[in-house]
Amino acid sequence: MTRFSSNNDMKRRKPYLTLFAVALLFTACTGEDALTPSHADTDPFVVSAADNRPDTRLRRDFHDKNGSYLLFNDTLANGELLDNGYVMTAAENNIVYTYDYLSSFNEKQNAARFIEHDLLPHLGKRLRPFSFLLVSGIHRWTRNGTSFFQNYDESDTPQLVTGVRSTAIAMKSVPSDPEERKTYAQTLLKSILSNAIVLQSGGKVDAFKAVSKDAYDGFYDGPTPANEAENMSLMNAKGFISVHYSYGFPYFGAYPTVSEDVTAYVALALEATADAVETTYLSYPKIIEKYRLMAEVLNELGYIR
C-alpha cells in the first residue's frame, strides 16, 4: 500500500486540502457530538440567483430542469465539506475520498450533458441522487490512525461513489465512442440502482431481501467447497447468483452481503429476460423468485428502460 503524501500537481492541490479537512471532521465527530451539520438552517446546495457566472448558470439550469443539484467541487457554498466517506450513523468511517476537479467550463458542460443524456432518462425521481458531484477522477483512501493509505489496485480509483447527499462520478473514464459510452452509462446505472435499492425498505424491496435473509453475511456450515463450481452451487441453493469477495477474491463457503446480492440481481434484471432466467435457473426457485421481485422493484422505483 502507498502512504498519502504531498504532490505538486496543481490539479490535485484541492483534494489534498480536502483530505486534511476530512481528518479534522473525523476528530470533531467523536463521542456524543451531534451529527447535525452546523449550517443546517441553510441549503448550501442552492445556487444564488444573482450569480451569473457560466458554471453557476449551468448548475442552476441543471437543477431547475432535472431536480438534482449539480456540483463540481466538494466544498459547498457555506464552506461545508461534502464527504462521501462520512456515514451519518457512525462516529467515524475509515474510507475517505478525494477528487481531481474538472478544469474548464467545456469539460463541465460536457459532463452535465452526459448525465442528462445518458443517465437521467433512465432514472425516475425516486432513483435520482440528491446531487451529482462531477469530477475528473476519484481517489479512495483508507484511514489508519492519523495516516491514510491506498491499496495499489483498481479500488483506489473508483468510477462512482455514492454518499448520503451526493453521487460522485469520475468523468475522465467516460469513453468518446458512442457505443462504448452507452455501455459505460449502463455500468454507472447499475451502480446507482444498486446503491439506491440497498438503502430502500418496504414493499417488494423487503420481499426480495427476505428470500435469502438468513444467509446474508453467513457461512456454509459444511465442508469448504473444493472449487468455484461447487461454491456457486451452494450459493444458488440459497438464492444467490454471486459469491462473496474478500480482498478481491472469492471466499468459498461465505454467502454474499446484501449489497453484493442486490448488485448481482440488478444486473440480471437489466440484462436477462424472464424466459432465459427460468431456463437457466430451473432447479433454483429462489433465484427465479428474486429475479421477478427485483424486476418489480426497478419498475416501482421508476427505472426507465
Side-chain angles (χ1 to χ4, degrees):
M1 295 187 292
T2 182
R3 183 183 296 273
F4 187 87
S5 59
S6 62
N7 191 309
N8 292 324
D9 184 349
M10 293 300 289
K11 287 185 68 179
R12 292 187 59 184
R13 68 186 186 278
K14 181 60 175 64
Y16 287 99
L17 294 175
T18 296
L19 183 61
F20 176 71
V22 172
L24 293 178
L25 175 63
F26 284 134
T27 302
C29 294
T30 56
E32 299 300 323
D33 290 352
L35 294 176
T36 303
S38 58
H39 299 279
D41 57 334
T42 65
D43 188 345
F45 292 84
V46 173
V47 178
S48 170
D51 190 340
N52 285 313
R53 291 174 297 175
D55 289 18
T56 308
R57 290 200 305 270
L58 178 62
R59 293 178 55 204
R60 185 167 52 239
D61 292 346
F62 184 94
H63 178 263
D64 290 346
K65 181 179 179 181
N66 304 300
S68 296
Y69 289 104
L70 180 63
L71 306 171
F72 299 112
N73 191 301
D74 60 329
T75 300
L76 301 178
N78 60 1
E80 180 184 352
L81 185 69
L82 176 69
D83 176 26
N84 280 336
Y86 188 64
V87 177
M88 296 298 288
T89 56
E92 66 177 29
N93 184 356
N94 286 334
I95 303 300
V96 175
Y97 296 97
T98 60
Y99 309 95
D100 297 330
Y101 299 135
L102 298 171
S103 57
S104 71
F105 177 71
N106 186 57
E107 288 178 325
K108 296 172 183 178
Q109 191 174 45
N110 288 336
R113 286 173 178 167
F114 171 74
I115 301 301
E116 286 189 322
H117 296 165
D118 295 85
L119 296 186
L120 289 181
H122 301 285
L123 300 175
K125 290 184 178 180
R126 292 181 64 187
L127 289 171
R128 295 187 176 188
F130 181 75
S131 70
F132 287 98
L133 171 60
L134 305 185
V135 295
S136 176
I138 304 173
H139 305 273
R140 182 182 187 272
W141 302 85
T142 300
R143 180 177 184 265
N144 183 9
T146 59
S147 300
F148 296 84
F149 299 89
Q150 288 190 306
N151 298 322
Y152 272 140
D153 59 30
E154 62 181 14
S155 69
D156 290 342
T157 54
Q159 299 172 339
L160 177 147
V161 174
T162 297
V164 175
R165 298 180 296 173
S166 188
T167 290
I169 298 177
M171 300 307 300
K172 70 178 180 182
S173 301
V174 178
S176 57
D177 178 79
E179 285 304 311
E180 293 179 0
R181 188 183 183 96
K182 183 178 179 181
T183 300
Y184 183 75
Q186 284 295 312
T187 300
L188 294 180
L189 282 169
K190 290 173 188 175
S191 295
I192 293 172
L193 292 169
S194 298
N195 291 330
I197 292 169
V198 167
L199 297 175
Q200 294 281 336
S201 61
K204 300 295 184 182
V205 174
D206 283 353
F208 171 87
K209 296 175 182 178
V211 176
S212 302
K213 181 180 179 179
D214 294 339
Y216 285 135
D217 299 305
F219 295 89
Y220 175 59
D221 58 6
T224 301
N227 51 53
E228 291 186 8
E230 188 175 317
N231 187 59
M232 183 55 75
S233 180
L234 290 175
M235 299 300 109
N236 290 166
K238 288 290 187 178
F240 296 115
I241 56 174
S242 63
V243 300
H244 174 61
Y245 285 88
S246 179
Y247 297 99
F249 296 95
Y251 191 152
F252 285 8
Y255 294 117
T257 63
V258 172
S259 179
E260 289 171 328
D261 190 35
V262 167
T263 298
Y265 271 96
V266 165
L268 187 67
L270 294 181
E271 297 169 357
T273 65
D275 288 344
V277 171
E278 290 172 4
T279 300
T280 303
Y281 296 104
L282 181 62
S283 301
Y284 301 102
K286 287 185 178 181
I287 293 178
I288 296 173
E289 178 185 5
K290 289 173 70 174
Y291 167 82
R292 290 173 178 167
L293 287 168
M294 181 56 71
E296 293 177 14
V297 167
L298 292 175
N299 288 332
E300 286 183 357
L301 292 181
Y303 175 72
I304 304 165
R305 293 186 178 274

